[in-house]
Amino acid sequence: MMKPKLIFLAAFCLSLLAYPTWAQQKKPVKVEIKKTNVGYTIKRGGKPYFIKGAGGTSYIDRLKQKGGNSIRTWSTDGAKEILDQAQQLGLTVTMGIRMGVERHGFDYSDPKAVQAQLERVRQEILQFKDHPALLAWGIGNELNLHYSNPKVWDAVNEVAQMIHEVDPNHLVTTMLAGINQKEIDLIKAKCPALDLLSVQVYGGLAAVPAQIKTVGWEKPYMVTEWGPTGHWEGLQTPWKASIEESSSEKAAVYRSRYEASIAKDKQCVGSYVFLWGQKQERTPTWYGVFTEAGEENEVVDVMEYLWTGKYPKNRAPHIKIFQLDGRQAQDMIYVDAKRSYPLNVMVHDPNHDKLTTRWELLPESTDLKEGGDRESRPQPIAGLVKPQGVDSAVLTTPEKAGAYRIFVYVTDGKNKVATANIPFYVGQPAQQNTASTSSRDSLYAFSTTPTWADEFDRDGLPDTSKWSYDVGSPYNGWGNNEWQYYTKANKENVEVSDGLLKITARKGGNKDMPYTSTRLVSKGKGDFRYGRFETRARVPQGRGTWPAVWMLPSEWKYGGWPNSGEIDILEHVGYDQDVVHISTHSKAYHHSINTQKTAKTKLSATADDFHVYRVDWTPDYITGFVDNVEIFHFANEKTGFEAWPFDQKFHWLINLAIGGNWGGAKGVDDDILPAVFEVDYVRVYPLAKGIE
C-alpha cells in the first residue's frame, strides 16, 4: 500500500505533466530590436531572429517542417492552445489583439467604449504575457481600412503603452493595410510607443522597401500579410468578377515579390505569408495555400525554398493553361445556357507522379466582404461536368443566366495539388446604353480640325510649351504600387524622333525604385472640357509593362481621386498583350470598389502595329473607340458629381509604368527591358455646337 506522502508526490508529478510547460516555467523569452550598421534585427533570447512566418493556425506542424519559425493570429481566441502547440514545435507567435473598427460600428470618439476596450485588452495581455512562445503583440488589423477618425491612433498608442507597462519582454506593433503617407505621418506623431510597423500588401510587395523610405518611416517594419495578387488589384470581367491567378502563377509571384523586398531589405525584420490554411474570400482557393482537404499547392513549395534554400523532393503539379471552350479567364467568356463546352487543362508533375483531376462548378460568390471578414462559400452545382480524362472534361452550362466559375484541382496522390478557375457568364452581355449609336451621335458633332495637338514631328525632348513632367514615385508608386521612378527631361527615358514620342522604361538608374521611365502631363498647357480626344500609339511588348494615355482633372473640383474623375483613353498591361482598355472612374464608379465603367477589346499585334484610340466626351456621355469601332459608352446619369464629375477641365497624361497592382500582377520580365511606348500623335477636336 502506498503511503499518503508518496501518493501526494505522485499526484503532484502527474499534475505537472498535465500542466503546460510554459506555465511550469513562467518565464518569457526576452524579445527586442537592435539597430545594426545596415538596418535592424530582432534579438530573441539574445540571439538574432528573422521572422519566417505565416498567418494562420492550421497545419503549423507542416510550417515547422518546411522551415518556417513563426505564426501570426488575428486575436487571442484559443491563444493558450496555439501558444502551447507553437512552443512544442519550437515556433513563436505574433499574437493579434482584436480592436474595434469603424466599418463595424466602433466609435473611437466614445471614451467609455475606448476605455472598456483597453481594460479588456489588459486582461488578455496579463493572461498570456509570460508564455515563452510569444514574440510580439499586434494591435488590431488594418485599422486604417475605410476609417475617418484619427483618434483610433490615440487608442493604439494607449494600448501599446499599457502593454509595455505590464509586459516589458515583447514587441508591440499595429498592422496597416498598405503604406500611405497620411497614416504613416499620423502614426509617427501619435504612436511613439510602437516598436515597429507592420504592413500588409499583395500585388505591390516588391515596391515596399522604396515606399517605406519615401514615406519617411525610419523604424523597423515587418510584413504581416502578403501573398497573391489581391482580388481588388487585378483584372475584372465586365460582370465584376475578379480574375484569379492559378496556383502556379501565384507561386511565381510569391517568389519574385519576396526576393525583391523582404529577402533583401535590412529594415525589414521578417514576414508572415498569407494564408497558411484555407478560407473563402472571393473564391475557396484565392488566398489559402491549402485546399479544404489539406492539400498543398505550389506556393507551399516556394515558401520552403524561400525559407530553407531548397525545394522539397516531391513538388506540386504545375498548371500551364486552363481553358473553357478554347478560351482563358482573361478572354471574358460569355456562353449560352444548356450547351456543352470543352474544358482543357495543360498540367505536368515535376516528379512524374500519376495525376488525378476533379472539377467543381460554383455560382459566382455574392457574399463579398472587406478586410478579410468572413464570407460564405457558394454551394456547388452538381452533375454538369463530365470528366474525359486527366486533362479534359465537358461542361454543360446552367440553365439560369448569370455569373459562374469552373474550378479544376489536379492532385498527385501525395497531398500536392494545382488549382485554377475561370469565371464565365451564362447569357449575353447587358447593353450599356438604350440609345442607338446613331441617335447618340446626332446629339453632338465635333470640329474636323484639332484646336490642340502634338504631332511629335520635332526631334529632341518633348515640346515644353505643351508638356511638363511628373517626377518621382510618391503615393505608393503613384497610388498603384508601381515600381518606376519618373525622371524629368531625361533622354534615357523620353525623346521625340522619327515623328514619334518614345517613352522608354529601363531597369536601374535610380536609388529609390528599381526602374525609371517618364510621365508627361499637359496640365496648365492643355486643359479641356468636352471634345474628341484621339491618339495613335503602339504599346510595348512584355510582362510588367503598363502604358497609358489618359486624363485627370486640372483643378480637382470635387476633391481627390476618385471624386473628381479620371478618363482612360488607352490602357494596356503587358501580361495580356493583345487586349486594350478604355475606362472612366468617379466616386460612385471606380476599380477600388469594383464598380468602374470599363470596356476592353482584343487586337492583333499591339506591339507591332499602331492603333487609333479615341474618346468622345460630351455633357451627356463619354464614348470610347479603338480603330473607329465603338467599345465603350457611359451616359451621364444626372445624379450628381459622384457618378459624373466630368463637367470640369481635364488634361492629358502619357506614361509607361512598370509593375504595380495591375501592370505587375504577374510579375515583371526584366528580359524585355528597355521597353518603349511609342505615340504618333495626340489631338483634341472641340465640340462643334458652341459648347465649351
Side-chain angles (χ1 to χ4, degrees):
M1 183 174 179
M2 188 176 289
K3 294 181 180 180
K5 187 175 182 180
L6 292 175
I7 293 174
F8 171 79
L9 287 172
F12 179 71
C13 291
L14 287 172
S15 70
L16 286 178
L17 290 173
Y19 206 51
T21 302
W22 72 272
Q24 297 172 37
Q25 295 175 345
K26 286 287 185 181
K27 188 177 180 181
V29 179
K30 179 71 174 178
V31 183
E32 53 192 340
I33 288 178
K34 295 292 185 180
K35 188 171 177 56
T36 69
N37 292 333
V38 293
Y40 293 90
T41 186
I42 290 176
K43 288 289 186 72
R44 181 173 183 265
K47 298 179 180 179
Y49 190 87
F50 187 78
I51 300 170
K52 301 176 181 179
T57 57
S58 302
Y59 313 111
I60 66 172
D61 55 335
R62 298 195 215 173
L63 177 75
K64 176 67 174 180
Q65 294 166 6
K66 298 177 188 304
N69 63 9
S70 191
I71 59 174
R72 177 251 171 138
T73 75
W74 284 258
S75 73
T76 58
D77 296 347
K80 176 181 177 297
E81 293 76 13
I82 293 167
L83 287 162
D84 286 349
Q85 187 181 6
Q87 176 70 2
Q88 291 168 5
L89 292 167
L91 303 174
T92 64
V93 180
T94 288
M95 183 64 66
I97 300 170
R98 185 181 288 113
M99 298 279 284
V101 293
E102 278 190 47
R103 68 178 188 276
H104 294 163
F106 193 91
D107 183 4
Y108 278 93
S109 293
D110 181 347
K112 290 184 178 179
V114 171
Q115 184 62 32
Q117 176 172 259
L118 178 65
E119 290 308 312
R120 186 259 300 164
V121 173
R122 185 191 304 272
Q123 296 308 310
E124 295 177 12
I125 303 301
L126 290 171
Q127 189 175 2
F128 304 110
K129 68 183 181 67
D130 292 326
H131 200 296
L134 186 63
L135 182 74
W137 297 102
I139 303 174
N141 186 65
E142 300 188 347
L143 295 173
N144 62 322
L145 186 65
H146 303 312
Y147 87 114
S148 59
N149 190 348
K151 289 185 178 181
V152 64
W153 306 121
D154 297 321
V156 166
N157 194 61
E158 193 173 11
V159 169
Q161 287 177 322
M162 179 272 293
I163 293 174
H164 282 307
E165 290 169 4
V166 302
D167 177 10
N169 294 306
H170 300 106
L171 304 177
V172 183
T173 186
T174 190
M175 287 72 173
L176 291 184
I179 304 169
N180 182 279
Q181 187 72 61
K182 174 186 172 185
E183 272 68 62
I184 297 298
D185 290 344
L186 283 168
I187 288 171
K188 287 167 66 176
K190 290 176 172 285
C191 300
L194 293 177
D195 296 303
L196 72 166
L197 189 69
S198 294
V199 297
Q200 308 193 153
V201 292
Y202 288 83
L205 179 65
V208 164
Q211 291 169 4
I212 285 287
K213 290 179 175 62
T214 298
V215 298
W217 182 259
E218 297 179 350
K219 288 184 178 181
Y221 73 94
M222 59 180 169
V223 183
T224 42
E225 277 188 30
W226 65 275
T229 303
H231 58 263
W232 65 94
E233 295 177 306
L235 199 60
Q236 288 190 330
T237 68
W239 57 93
K240 311 308 177 190
S242 298
I243 294 176
E244 180 181 350
E245 297 156 325
S246 71
S247 58
S248 298
E249 291 171 326
K250 290 174 188 174
V253 298
Y254 272 65
R255 177 174 171 177
S256 64
R257 292 170 184 167
Y258 184 95
E259 291 177 333
S261 56
I262 296 164
K264 66 181 185 181
D265 187 4
K266 301 306 180 182
Q267 194 174 349
C268 179
V269 295
S271 73
Y272 292 90
V273 68
F274 189 80
L275 168 72
W276 200 263
Q278 187 277 334
K279 69 179 296 193
Q280 167 71 34
E281 189 168 356
R282 284 331 189 251
T283 77
T285 56
W286 200 300
Y287 294 99
V289 298
F290 300 89
T291 64
E292 290 150 301
E295 299 154 319
E296 303 171 1
N297 72 28
E298 200 172 338
V299 173
V300 178
D301 296 350
V302 162
M303 293 314 304
E304 184 168 348
Y305 170 80
L306 294 173
W307 288 333
T308 69
K310 296 180 180 179
Y311 279 101
K313 290 181 179 179
N314 182 55
R315 297 179 61 176
H318 181 89
I319 285 182
K320 293 184 176 179
I321 297 175
F322 181 34
Q323 295 179 322
L324 165 59
D325 192 32
R327 293 173 284 174
Q328 300 182 66
Q330 293 87 346
D331 293 324
M332 312 298 175
I333 301 172
Y334 291 91
V335 295
D336 296 327
K338 299 176 66 176
R339 278 191 56 186
S340 294
Y341 294 90
L343 295 167
N344 299 97
V345 57
M346 184 182 297
V347 59
H348 81 274
D349 187 88
N351 304 93
H352 307 292
D353 293 323
K354 183 179 179 181
L355 300 178
T356 303
T357 304
R358 65 182 186 271
W359 311 85
E360 185 175 44
L361 177 63
L362 298 180
E364 186 66 33
S365 178
T366 57
D367 183 25
L368 307 180
K369 303 291 177 57
E370 293 180 302
D373 294 347
R374 184 178 299 277
E375 299 178 5
S376 59
R377 192 189 200 277
Q379 290 297 312
I381 302 170
L384 296 183
V385 181
K386 293 184 179 180
Q388 303 288 302
V390 172
D391 58 0
S392 62
V394 174
L395 167 68
T396 300
T397 51
E399 181 177 359
K400 183 180 178 181
Y404 300 86
R405 278 185 199 253
I406 183 68
F407 291 75
V408 63
Y409 300 80
V410 185
T411 59
D412 68 351
K414 300 176 182 177
N415 210 45
K416 293 294 182 75
V417 67
T419 67
N421 68 72
I422 296 175
F424 65 93
Y425 195 92
V426 175
Q428 296 302 311
Q431 295 297 314
Q432 292 183 306
N433 56 82
T434 55
S436 69
T437 300
S438 59
S439 64
R440 285 202 314 268
D441 287 350
S442 66
L443 296 175
Y444 294 96
F446 300 89
S447 170
T448 58
T449 303
T451 54
W452 191 98
D454 196 334
E455 302 295 330
F456 301 115
D457 51 6
R458 188 181 70 182
D459 288 355
L461 289 169
D463 185 348
T464 55
S465 70
K466 295 174 179 173
W467 303 104
S468 301
Y469 296 84
D470 275 339
V471 179
S473 55
Y475 322 123
N476 296 349
W478 299 98
N480 299 302
N481 293 309
E482 298 159 21
W483 302 353
Q484 79 289 327
Y485 183 97
Y486 285 134
T487 63
K488 179 179 180 180
N490 184 344
K491 284 193 174 183
E492 289 289 307
N493 297 118
V494 63
E495 68 171 338
V496 177
S497 63
D498 305 318
L500 301 172
L501 169 68
K502 300 174 182 178
I503 295 180
T504 303
R506 299 180 183 275
K507 186 171 177 62
N510 180 267
K511 64 180 181 179
D512 294 323
M513 302 297 277
Y515 307 95
T516 58
S517 186
T518 289
R519 182 154 96 178
L520 297 178
V521 295
S522 71
K523 183 177 179 180
K525 302 175 180 181
D527 305 278
F528 316 94
R529 184 162 75 109
Y530 311 133
R532 172 169 288 169
F533 301 84
E534 184 177 277
T535 184
R536 183 173 180 265
R538 177 165 60 190
V539 302
Q541 176 88 33
R543 176 167 48 86
T545 58
W546 187 358
V549 179
W550 52 305
M551 303 183 77
L552 282 176
S554 296
E555 297 179 358
W556 299 93
K557 179 178 178 182
Y558 302 110
W561 192 94
N563 293 18
S564 291
E566 174 184 326
I567 302 171
D568 300 320
I569 301 168
L570 159 63
E571 209 168 4
H572 174 268
V573 287
Y575 68 79
D576 200 11
Q577 186 63 50
D578 291 330
V579 175
V580 293
H581 305 255
I582 296 176
S583 310
T584 60
H585 300 276
S586 63
K587 183 177 181 179
Y589 302 116
H590 63 93
H591 68 269
S592 299
I593 56 174
N594 301 330
T595 59
Q596 74 273 23
K597 298 296 183 180
T598 187
K600 67 174 191 173
T601 190
K602 196 164 188 175
L603 301 173
S604 61
T606 53
D608 296 325
D609 300 333
F610 282 87
H611 295 272
V612 177
Y613 305 91
R614 179 181 115 216
V615 160
D616 289 354
W617 170 24
T618 79
D620 292 323
Y621 58 82
I622 295 175
T623 306
F625 302 80
V626 178
D627 292 333
N628 295 316
V629 176
E630 180 181 332
I631 69 164
F632 174 84
H633 184 80
F634 174 43
N636 184 354
E637 300 170 354
K638 302 187 185 300
T639 57
F641 83 88
E642 292 85 355
W644 186 268
F646 305 109
D647 59 355
Q648 58 182 310
K649 288 185 176 182
F650 278 60
H651 61 271
W652 291 94
L653 298 94
I654 307 175
N655 62 275
L656 173 55
I658 297 294
N661 296 344
W662 189 15
K666 297 184 184 297
V668 176
D669 180 5
D670 285 349
D671 290 340
I672 56 92
L673 298 174
V676 183
F677 179 32
E678 297 178 310
V679 179
D680 185 17
Y681 62 78
V682 292
R683 298 169 182 168
V684 181
Y685 301 85
L687 286 174
K689 293 191 175 182
I691 301 176
E692 293 181 5

